[in-house]
Amino acid sequence: MIVCGTGSRRNAVAVISGVGVSSGRAVGPVVRMPDPVAEPAAEARLADGADVAAESARIAAAAEQVRADLEHRATTAHGEGSAVLEATALMAADPTLVTAAQKKVDDGTAPARAVWEAAAEVQAMLESLGGYMAERARDVADVRDRIVAVLDGRPAPGVPDRDEPFVLVAHDLAPADTATLDPSTCLALVTEGGGPTSHTAILARALGLPAVVAAPGVLDLADGAVVLVDGALGTIEPNPSADTVAQVQALANREWTFDGTGRTADGHRVQLLANVGDPKGAAAAAEAGAEGVGLFRTEFCFLDRAEEPTVDEQVEQYRAVLEPFAGKKVVVRTLDAGADKPLPFLTDATEANPALGVRGYRTAVRHSEVLDHQLEAIARAATTSGTEVWVMAPMVSTAGEAADFVERAHAHGLATAGVMVEVPALALTADALMSAVAFASLGTNDLTQYTMAADRLLGDLAALNDAWQPAALRLVHLTAEAGVQAGRPVGVCGEAAADPALAVVLAGLGVTSLSMTARAIAEVATTLLSVTRDECVRLAELALSAPDARAARAAVHAQLPPLT
């Protein structure tokens, strides 16, 4: 049972603000993540006469225990958590960390300290590479803590095991932490650090949990304190009133349904599609009733490989994603390598600023054969899948580049070709773009980070890197208007589409389709059905005229009754 205080007490405690990364509201008692594993003393050395070989072997045994534990937990994890745990287990199995630590033991350093120092060196190396590799530094710290806990005979760090529902509060969450969350007991996630593209955000959306990140002050909340987490507004309200709790719990028990046709109350069509990244995700999206796929991320068959997969391998993988959507549209994005997804056979990991470097379609300048092989594979898979396959290229900056890609796609028999609009320059020249493509799809994650000059991987810039930013919404509007004038569909496939209130705004800006995590489709569909097309336009104008993201979000939410 949730016990709430009086109205006066509620007003006496300040609401904490952060960045909402997964919509929804939940009320529950705070459960704090336990303190992290303490750093072993810098002077920790082997005792005189210690068996160096045996101490060295303890590190390898501890790493193996961590690997086995993570792999076991992966078998019971929810949603995308299984893949995250498997990836962390692979890092525990990587000999790099263990070998480096064992060398330090040979020099007399105590095992736990040796692991800590070796991990610091591996983290520094990954952080120097930037992008995706820099994100893996957090995984190294997680593996380090687990190995040190085994060496010291302590329980592994992680999410507390509770039978009663709770709101999890932490400084940040390791991928293996978020991957083991049980949505039947964990009601919401709140972190002081992190950003919109952190593992916490991604897995919260996949699990359908309200989540707020980059929320300074949340660590001051006491264990057991009752809080209201609003993942759409990005707020944490301590000690909410009994009426508020009742309202939130009633909404939480509501059944969201989708009849297979996205539309507003007056029948204006907004196609509701799913973002998928592998065959398992495609099956889940089909089960959720998605009208098709608005973003098929093809990187899954390229990542963690030293060389390009063969055309036949790609055909088999793509067909497994396409087949659940026979008779429906599937928009396939060609390889988005570079930045946070480096590939050794295609990208340069030494780029000083990979987010602005050779990524996406730009890799085709030097490695055109990789794109041609992929287009061939997509065309072959499309022939036997029974789906309506569209294809688009990421990281396109000019109408000329778009025209070049369309020509290449047509050469491989792919008739419907378009591009991602992620670069502000392309949105600003959208009228010229539309004459070159059959459609366009807005990637709001990158579009926002480039518009706001805010690296989306930095938690400190999370407030800027918000798809509600009026500047980013203006670029969406400009692109959608150009699409209307040219008779070209313009969709959104960034995470913005999964926010029900923002989905209404996007529809008002002229977007014709929304693609999102499958779990969000029913709630977005219900929200769209609560407003007319004219109301969408009015709310979009409110957001465009706001001074910043927080004000835009608040103004729209205040006039959407189902979300208040």
Side-chain angles (χ1 to χ4, degrees), residues 476-493:
V476 172
H477 190 206
L478 195 62
T479 306
E481 279 191 322
V484 171
Q485 293 300 317
R488 301 285 191 269
V490 174
V492 167
C493 63

Side-chain angles (χ1 to χ4, degrees), residues 7 13 18 74 89 120 196 206 215 291 299 307 328 369 375 409 425 452 477 479 512 515 531:
V13 181
E291 295 186 65
E299 291 77 37
E307 56 188 34
K328 295 183 178 181
E369 74 285 354
L375 290 172
M452 303 306 295
H477 190 206
T479 306
T512 58
S515 190
V531 291

Side-chain angles (χ1 to χ4, degrees), residues 33 70 72-89 142 146 158-159 168 173-183 186 189 199-204 206-207 209:
M33 281 287 286
L70 289 169
H72 173 71
R73 293 167 69 185
T75 64
T76 58
H78 300 268
E80 296 180 24
S82 178
V84 173
L85 281 169
E86 288 172 356
T88 309
D142 182 30
R146 292 173 186 278
V159 178
L168 185 63
L173 293 172
D177 294 330
T178 49
T180 55
L181 290 172
D182 183 350
C186 183
L189 301 177
H199 284 292
T200 302
I202 294 167
L203 283 170
L207 293 172
L209 294 176

Side-chain angles (χ1 to χ4, degrees), residues 94-481:
D94 189 324
T96 304
L97 175 59
V98 170
T99 301
Q102 288 176 325
K103 288 180 179 177
K104 294 180 181 295
V105 170
D106 291 343
D107 293 334
T109 304
R113 181 65 195 180
V115 170
W116 197 276
E117 292 180 359
E121 293 168 1
V122 175
Q123 287 179 283
M125 180 270 291
L126 291 173
E127 288 169 351
S128 70
L129 296 176
Y132 172 80
M133 300 308 290
E135 282 195 84
R136 297 311 300 272
R138 181 67 185 86
D139 300 10
V140 174
D142 182 30
V143 170
R144 173 202 69 196
D145 290 351
R146 292 173 186 278
I147 294 175
V148 169
V150 172
L151 290 170
D152 289 347
R154 289 181 286 169
V159 178
D161 186 14
R162 299 292 179 94
D163 294 329
E164 296 297 321
F166 62 91
V167 171
L168 185 63
V169 173
H171 171 70
D172 202 359
L173 293 172
D177 294 330
T178 49
T180 55
L181 290 172
D182 183 350
S184 68
T185 53
C186 183
L187 302 173
L189 301 177
V190 180
T191 63
E192 186 178 55
T197 61
S198 64
H199 284 292
T200 302
I202 294 167
L203 283 170
R205 288 188 286 260
L207 293 172
L209 294 176
V212 179
V213 302
V218 293
L219 296 182
D220 295 332
L221 294 170
D223 242 8
V226 175
V227 295
L228 163 62
V229 178
D230 191 319
L233 289 176
T235 58
I236 304 97
E237 178 184 344
N239 201 23
S241 69
D243 288 344
T244 299
V245 172
Q247 181 186 30
V248 170
Q249 291 179 333
L251 192 60
N253 293 328
R254 180 176 179 178
E255 289 290 333
W256 303 104
T257 59
F258 177 46
D259 64 8
T261 303
R263 62 196 183 280
T264 60
D266 53 345
H268 175 73
R269 282 285 280 126
V270 182
Q271 206 172 26
L272 299 183
L273 311 167
N275 295 340
V276 304
D278 56 31
K280 184 178 178 181
E287 186 177 347
E291 295 186 65
V293 174
L295 172 62
F296 168 21
R297 305 180 182 97
T298 56
E299 291 77 37
F300 77 103
C301 61
F302 289 82
L303 295 176
D304 300 319
R305 296 185 61 130
E307 56 188 34
E308 174 193 2
T310 67
V311 171
D312 286 343
E313 287 176 315
Q314 292 184 57
V315 171
E316 182 180 357
Q317 296 277 13
Y318 300 157
R319 190 178 289 135
V321 173
L322 297 177
E323 286 177 346
F325 291 95
K328 295 183 178 181
K329 177 177 78 175
V330 176
V331 183
V332 183
R333 183 182 69 187
T334 56
L335 185 58
D336 189 17
D340 59 343
K341 295 181 284 290
L343 295 176
F345 57 87
L346 191 60
T347 59
D348 180 4
T350 65
E351 285 181 341
N353 193 342
L356 299 179
V358 180
R359 56 172 296 204
Y361 185 61
R362 298 173 180 182
T363 61
V365 174
R366 289 190 178 179
H367 300 279
S368 61
E369 74 285 354
V370 175
L371 176 59
D372 284 326
H373 292 161
Q374 188 175 28
L375 290 172
E376 178 187 347
I378 293 168
R380 283 175 51 188
T383 301
T384 58
S385 67
T387 53
E388 180 188 349
V389 172
W390 295 14
V391 64
M392 64 182 178
M395 200 62 182
V396 171
S397 301
T398 68
E401 287 180 351
D404 290 341
F405 173 75
V406 169
E407 183 178 352
R408 294 176 79 143
H410 288 173
H412 287 276
L414 294 162
T416 308
V419 297
M420 294 276 289
V421 178
E422 304 161 283
V423 179
L426 196 59
L428 292 169
T429 56
D431 52 348
L433 169 67
M434 294 304 165
S435 65
V437 298
F439 71 97
S441 185
L442 289 142
T444 51
N445 298 344
D446 273 325
L447 183 64
T448 303
Q449 83 158 334
Y450 294 134
T451 300
M452 303 306 295
D455 187 337
R456 64 180 185 154
L457 300 180
L458 292 180
D460 288 346
L461 301 180
L464 286 175
N465 212 332
D466 186 331
W468 280 91
Q469 289 290 355
L473 294 177
R474 286 179 185 275
L475 294 177
V476 172
H477 190 206
L478 195 62
T479 306
E481 279 191 322

